[in-house]
Structure formats: C-alpha cells, structure tokens
Amino acid sequence: MSRKLLLANDHVEGIRRLDVYRKHGGYNALEKALKTMTPEQIVEEVKASGLRGRGGAGFPTGMKWSFLAKPEGVARYLVCNADESEPGTFKDRYLMERIPHALIEGMIASSFALGARTSYIYIRGEYFYVANILEEAIAEAYEAGLLGKNILNSGFDHDCYVQVGAGAYICGEETALLESLEGKRGNPRIKPPFPAIAGLYGCPTVVNNVETIAAVVPIIQMTGAEYAKIGVGKSTGTKLISASGHINKPGVYEIELGVPVEEFIYSDAYCGGIRNGKQLKAVVAGGSSVPILPAHLILKTASGEPRLMTYESLSDGGFATGTMLGSGGFIVMDEDTSIVKNLWNFSRFYHHESCGQCSPCREGTGWMEKILHNIVEGHGTPEDVELLWDIQGKIEGKTICPLGDAAAWPVASAIRHFKDEFMQYVTRPQSIKDVKHYYRVHQLAEA
Amino acid sequence: MSQIAFNEEALKTAQRIIARYPKGKEKSALIPLLHLAQAEFDGWLSPETMDYVASLLSIQSIEAYEVASFYSMFNLQPVGKCVLEVCRTSSCWLLGAEDVVRHIEKRLGIHVGETTADGMFTLKTVECLGSCGTAPMLQCGADYYENLTLEKVDNLIANLKQDGSRRTYPKPAPVKIES
C-alpha cells in the first residue's frame, strides 16, 4: 500500500470534528508554520516539494505562489477551487466531507505564506451539504482561535469564508470562478493579466485546488525535501485518484505517484479489476477532458514500457499515444462499452457547459454533439467522421479558456484510437442495434 | 413593487452573508442570496423575487436576471416540491443513468423537464454531480441518493411522497464574522 499523507485518518471516527482532528496531529503544521517559519520559508518549502496543481493542470504550486504580486497596501486573496465538476472526479468532495479541517488548516497556512488576510473556498452549489460541513469546521476553528485575530498568538489575522456556486462546470476555470465569486456570470477572463496580478476584485490572487491546499499541510510538517522523495521524477508526493466506471471497487484512492497503471486497475488495493470478469477496453485517466486510451496504450506506452500513474508517464507519446494525469478522474470502460456513444455523452456535456463567449466553442460543441447524435442513431456518414475531426481541430487552442480544448480532445482521441468503431456506426448502422453500451440497472442489482 | 420579502430570520442570514465581502463588493453575495431566495420562495425565482434580491444588494434587476439565467441550479419556472435531478454524465451514464430516467418517467407519467399534475415531482437530468464512484445517482434538494437501483428509486419516490414536504437546498449555515 502507498503511504498516505492526506487520507491517513479518513476512517477515524469523528475526524470531522476539531478535537479528534487535533488528537491525530491536526493543526501541528499550522503551529509550526506560524511559530517557527516566515512566509518566505513556507513558499520555499512548497517549491522544494515539487507539488504540482492537483486540479488538473499540474502547474508547479510554488512557482504559482511566487508569481503573486505584493504591492504595498493592496489586499491579497487566496481562493480555493472546490468547484470539482470534471466528470469522473470526486476526490475533493471526499476529502472535504471526511476531513474538512485538512482543507481549513491548509487554507490558513497557505494564506500566511501568501500574506492573505482573507480567503474564500468556492465550492460547487450541488455540494451544498459539504459546504455546511466546511462551515461547521470553520466555526470550530474560530472558536479555538485558529481563525480570526492573532491566530495562536502569532499576530497573523485571517478570515476564511465558504462561497457556494450554482451549477456551472466553467466555474472550475480559475478566472470564471473569480467572476462567479464577484457575483457575475461565469465567463472566463482574457489573460493576461493573470490572477496573480489582478484576480479577485482586481487584487493579486492565488487560486488553488482543494487537494493542492491540503497537501501544503504535510509539506510543512515533513519538509518539502522529504515530500519530494515520494514519487517519481517531477511527479512528487501523493495524489488522490477518483476511480469509477466498470471496476469492482470504485472510490477515492490516495496513491504515491508512480504506481503502475496495471497495478492500479487490477490490484485489490485499488480498483480490484474489471466488473463481472469482463475485459478492459479503454480508460479516461484524468477526467473526461483528457484523451481516451485503448487498453494496450493505457497499460503500456507505445515503446512498451509499463505506464505509470505520473504526470510524465501518462503523457508519454504526446496525444498520439498518450494522455494526461489531469484531475485524476480515472474512468474505466469494459469490452461492452460503445466508445461512440460514450463520446456523444461527453460532447453533450461540453455543449451544455460551454459558457458561449467564444464562437468556436459555443458553435463547435453543439455541432459536434448533433453530428454524434446522428451517428449514434444510425444516420451518420463517413463524411461525418471527417467533419468531426475537422471541427475539433478548429476549436482546440482557439478559445479564451481551456474548455474548448477539453471539448476537442475527447473527440480527437476517440477517432484516433477507435476509428473502426466509428466506421461501423456509419457504414453498417443496422449492426449497432446489437451494441451493448451500458449496464442495465437491474443487471447491476443482480450482480 | 411586489410584496416579496424575506422573513426576519432569512433577512438576518442575508445580512450575515453580505458582511463576508469587502465594502463596495457586496454584489459577491448575489449567488448565495439567490439560493436563499429560491429556498424561501417555493423553490424557484420569479422576476419579483429576483427584483427583491437585487434591491437588497443595490444592484440593477438585470444583474440578478443575467446571473440567475446562467447557472443551472436556479429554476426560473415553478417546480414541484421534489425536484429529482438525475446525473446523466460519464460514469453514471456508463452504469445505467438512462434506465433510471426512463423508469422515473414511466413511474411518474412525466418526461424530463416536466412536473407531475399534483405538483409533487419535477424530473430533471443534470451533468456530473461528482458522485461517479457511487453511480448511478440522483439529487433531490441537498441530498445525494447513490448506488441507485430501480427498487431504491421506487422507495425514494414513495418516501418523498409520504413525507410531502418541499425539498430545497438548506439555508446556508450562519457564519461567524470577526469584527
């Protein structure tokens, strides 16, 4: 089993409460930070740890922090991105629901490092019950002098608030999130300026994912150098993986980066293999946006090396034969899955969630959804497949925010790796009536 | 002007929420206040309700409309007491969300987007709710119902009906503000 830094105590009874959390070492890192370290030292530790953004982009956190502008007399903000809307991803929900203080402690310590007097946790509206859990934890922290004025007699003042969204995938994009937090529609901003210069209310702002902020706690506790020893190469530390789909043991797993993909899928310590004794067909390894890979390419790289759960190994081969670690939303599909129908499902999602600002995304996502629906219904032509390829290429890289790329990549990769299946749909539509494409719920109940 | 107004308790909650933001940035409270208003006024936002929320924040009504219409959780039409929101994305879909939707449609005699004649249920499909490891699932009010089977869906519908109360998102919990 992997070493656990974030979820070591996730099954301890009452760990949601402050007293139990503290009994298991909670807030020791904050105490260490406030009493023995300068803000600059914490930033250095985070840099040394090699921690990379856990929301999907994988950008080095320490570097992001060091970009934060610090003009005199201007407020700075830390904003936690708890919007978690990437299909296949549910790790942040698990962490916040089980151990809310892990996030709160990370928020306070990170805010100290960044010199932020106020922080906001922007959580998706559907997680309303989780927001209430966080509110309770925050109230406990105020009560214990861990939030508010002069925290632990350090002279550091900090207020942390929870802000609830209202149902929009796009608000996981950091500038759309800031717009939403300012009470507006979630339309991403044009960059530059980046939030580090002009973010919330035009002030310097760092936006970090829940898991990233929570990881700052063990980094302070064990030092960045020790944290960097875990993992492989530039993929340091542990990562929460949300495993779902046709597997025996769906759930959230904390892994040391570097676990072989094959072990992750088949070991009883993780996914426990494919349901009902079926064969593996494909995996979407990092949330619905990242390229889908067929079984042989997810288990081994094109050069025959075992594929590892790291940023580098998963992207080995570029988009031709590789994918991305992304948010760690690991969706497994068995031999009965229709890749074409699944792609239609994904495309419908991106069409629904496009904010409508940029025409390539607004028009392209709807167009792709319609073409795919046509194909799925048996009315497609080979030219439709060519057209899909053409459209996705005209969205990628041509929009203000990465939602356009996120909508294009699944289409490109599905056609790249499963062209035969598309051709079956468009040349022999009568044969697709027999395509089984998802489990029937009553079969599941029997299984 | 309409007669819509928060009761004393809701107004206190609204004021606590507004106090979270820096002076001059009170508009940040718009989404939380729209949630509160939706919970207070029958689960949907009428133009009058949105006008009222806008007046609390001293912003134009159009600023409330444009935000309310952007986010999928705000209902701009009346809804049933229980809005059944079935996740239709990705893992939920791979594991039978379509069956859940069809079953509810048959059971309640309505289609997606419709409300039963007795005003008890509205059926909606929604995009990924972050419950992929416990798929298929649906949300009703603030509650997640996970690892669904058709039997569980039947039980849920029966229980909601028997209970008969409106399921809305809970009002945001009070927040401690340091002065």
Side-chain angles (χ1 to χ4, degrees), chain A residues 107-174:
Chain A
M107 289 295 287
I108 306 166
S110 302
S111 295
F112 176 65
L114 297 167
R117 172 74 177 71
T118 307
S119 63
Y120 295 94
I121 300 171
Y122 182 96
I123 185 167
R124 65 179 300 183
E126 294 89 343
Y127 287 178
F128 222 122
Y129 79 98
V130 185
N132 284 344
I133 291 170
L134 290 173
E135 298 269 24
E136 280 170 32
I138 287 173
E140 279 185 312
Y142 272 110
E143 199 69 35
L146 296 162
L147 273 170
K149 293 237 186 282
N150 192 20
I151 297 168
L152 298 173
N153 297 316
S154 64
F156 177 61
D157 303 339
H158 188 74
D159 288 312
C160 178
Y161 304 109
V162 179
Q163 171 91 339
V164 173
Y169 169 71
I170 191 62
C171 292
E173 195 278 338
E174 62 179 13

Side-chain angles (χ1 to χ4, degrees), chain A residues 77 87-90 93 120 124-128 132 135 142 148 159 161-167 180-187 201 244 246 250 275 331 337 341-342 345-346 348-349 352-353 438-441 444, chain B residues 20-22 25 27-28 30-32 35 66-67 69-74 88-91 93-96 98-100 102 127-133 139 142 144 146 148-150 169-170 173 175-179:
Chain A
Y77 292 101
T89 315
F90 46 98
R93 173 185 164 209
Y120 295 94
R124 65 179 300 183
E126 294 89 343
Y127 287 178
F128 222 122
N132 284 344
E135 298 269 24
Y142 272 110
D159 288 312
Y161 304 109
V162 179
Q163 171 91 339
V164 173
S180 184
L181 186 46
E182 292 181 7
K184 302 178 207 156
R185 295 164 73 91
N187 289 340
Y201 310 130
S244 70
H246 301 141
R275 261 184 205 195
I331 310 167
T337 310
K341 283 199 167 184
N342 182 70
N345 185 275
F346 280 5
R348 182 176 65 180
F349 171 80
H352 185 265
E353 299 299 338
Y438 61 84
Y439 284 95
R440 299 265 159 200
V441 170
L444 267 182
Chain B
R20 295 173 183 178
Y21 309 99
K25 305 296 180 189
K27 191 182 169 183
S28 278
L30 180 55
I31 290 174
H35 275 303
E66 67 169 10
V67 163
S69 61
F70 184 85
Y71 296 93
S72 61
M73 284 171 69
F74 294 128
R88 66 177 190 180
T89 324
S90 188
S91 301
W93 179 81
L94 285 169
L95 293 169
E98 285 187 11
D99 281 356
V100 173
R102 281 195 209 110
E127 301 295 351
C128 187
L129 294 186
S131 184
C132 323
Q139 184 170 25
Y144 274 38
E146 305 176 283
L148 290 178
T149 61
L150 300 188
Y169 292 90
V175 181
K176 183 160 180 170
I177 304 287
E178 291 287 308
S179 52

Side-chain angles (χ1 to χ4, degrees), chain A residues 88-109:
Chain A
T89 315
F90 46 98
K91 63 182 179 76
D92 295 338
R93 173 185 164 209
Y94 184 85
L95 180 65
M96 293 185 287
E97 184 178 345
R98 294 279 172 150
I99 322 178
H101 283 287
L103 174 61
I104 311 298
E105 183 177 5
M107 289 295 287
I108 306 166

Side-chain angles (χ1 to χ4, degrees), chain B residues 120-121 156-165:
Chain B
M120 192 63 211
F121 294 102
L156 174 64
I157 290 174
N159 290 347
L160 289 171
K161 205 165 182 170
Q162 199 184 0
D163 180 75
S165 62

Side-chain angles (χ1 to χ4, degrees), chain B residues 12 15 17 19 41 44 52 58 84 92 142 146 150 171-172:
Chain B
K12 268 191 194 151
Q15 281 156 353
I17 293 171
F41 305 116
W44 73 293
Y52 173 67
S58 308
L84 304 174
C92 277
E146 305 176 283
L150 300 188
K171 293 160 204 172

Side-chain angles (χ1 to χ4, degrees), chain A residues 370-424:
Chain A
K370 281 184 198 141
I371 294 170
L372 280 160
H373 189 243
N374 232 6
I375 293 176
V376 165
E377 291 292 309
H379 307 305
T381 64
E383 289 73 37
D384 284 337
V385 183
E386 299 304 313
L387 185 57
L388 273 177
W389 184 264
D390 186 57
I391 298 169
Q392 65 79 23
K394 285 173 176 157
I395 300 175
E396 187 191 7
K398 295 174 180 65
T399 53
I400 290 174
C401 88
L403 193 144
D405 298 345
W409 294 341
V411 175
S413 57
I415 296 176
R416 187 180 296 124
H417 299 300
F418 296 94
K419 184 88 178 254
D420 289 354
E421 214 173 299
F422 283 87
M423 295 320 282
Q424 185 197 345

Side-chain angles (χ1 to χ4, degrees), chain A residues 101-405:
Chain A
H101 283 287
L103 174 61
I104 311 298
E105 183 177 5
M107 289 295 287
I108 306 166
S110 302
S111 295
F112 176 65
L114 297 167
R117 172 74 177 71
T118 307
S119 63
Y120 295 94
I121 300 171
Y122 182 96
I123 185 167
R124 65 179 300 183
E126 294 89 343
Y127 287 178
F128 222 122
Y129 79 98
V130 185
N132 284 344
I133 291 170
L134 290 173
E135 298 269 24
E136 280 170 32
I138 287 173
E140 279 185 312
Y142 272 110
E143 199 69 35
L146 296 162
L147 273 170
K149 293 237 186 282
N150 192 20
I151 297 168
L152 298 173
N153 297 316
S154 64
F156 177 61
D157 303 339
H158 188 74
D159 288 312
C160 178
Y161 304 109
V162 179
Q163 171 91 339
V164 173
Y169 169 71
I170 191 62
C171 292
E173 195 278 338
E174 62 179 13
T175 60
L177 186 154
L178 295 174
E179 286 286 297
S180 184
L181 186 46
E182 292 181 7
K184 302 178 207 156
R185 295 164 73 91
N187 289 340
R189 297 173 182 170
I190 292 173
K191 287 162 278 185
F194 288 90
I197 308 297
L200 184 64
Y201 310 130
C203 300
T205 303
V206 166
V207 184
N208 281 146
N209 171 259
V210 171
E211 186 188 347
T212 312
I213 292 173
V216 171
V217 174
I219 288 169
I220 290 172
Q221 193 70 280
M222 69 200 291
T223 75
E226 282 300 308
Y227 185 88
K229 286 182 188 164
I230 304 168
V232 178
K234 287 185 173 173
S235 297
T236 60
T238 64
K239 171 93 189 81
L240 301 182
I241 305 291
S242 319
S244 70
H246 301 141
I247 47 175
N248 284 315
K249 292 172 59 199
V252 176
Y253 296 100
E254 181 170 10
I255 61 162
E256 287 184 25
L257 287 166
V259 172
V261 172
E262 188 162 2
E263 182 185 338
F264 185 71
I265 296 175
Y266 291 103
S267 160
D268 278 338
Y270 306 111
C271 302
I274 311 301
R275 261 184 205 195
N276 301 334
K278 301 272 184 181
Q279 297 295 310
L280 173 66
K281 180 171 184 175
V283 170
V284 177
S288 63
S289 307
V290 310
I292 189 170
L293 287 184
H296 68 281
L297 281 177
I298 188 69
L299 298 176
K300 285 192 164 55
T301 65
S303 53
E305 297 290 316
R307 186 86 74 180
L308 308 179
M309 300 287 278
T310 63
Y311 293 96
E312 292 75 23
S313 180
L314 281 166
S315 57
D316 184 274
F319 278 6
T321 59
T323 180
M324 289 165 74
L325 178 61
S327 66
F330 198 87
I331 310 167
V332 179
M333 299 171 193
D334 74 6
E335 55 188 293
D336 291 337
T337 310
S338 163
I339 300 300
V340 180
K341 283 199 167 184
N342 182 70
L343 181 61
W344 166 63
N345 185 275
F346 280 5
S347 290
R348 182 176 65 180
F349 171 80
Y350 289 107
H351 179 213
H352 185 265
E353 299 299 338
S354 172
C355 82
Q357 238 188 157
C358 314
S359 15
C361 174
R362 181 186 63 237
E363 305 300 326
T365 51
W367 197 4
M368 292 196 300
E369 186 205 336
K370 281 184 198 141
I371 294 170
L372 280 160
H373 189 243
N374 232 6
I375 293 176
V376 165
E377 291 292 309
H379 307 305
T381 64
E383 289 73 37
D384 284 337
V385 183
E386 299 304 313
L387 185 57
L388 273 177
W389 184 264
D390 186 57
I391 298 169
Q392 65 79 23
K394 285 173 176 157
I395 300 175
E396 187 191 7
K398 295 174 180 65
T399 53
I400 290 174
C401 88
L403 193 144
D405 298 345

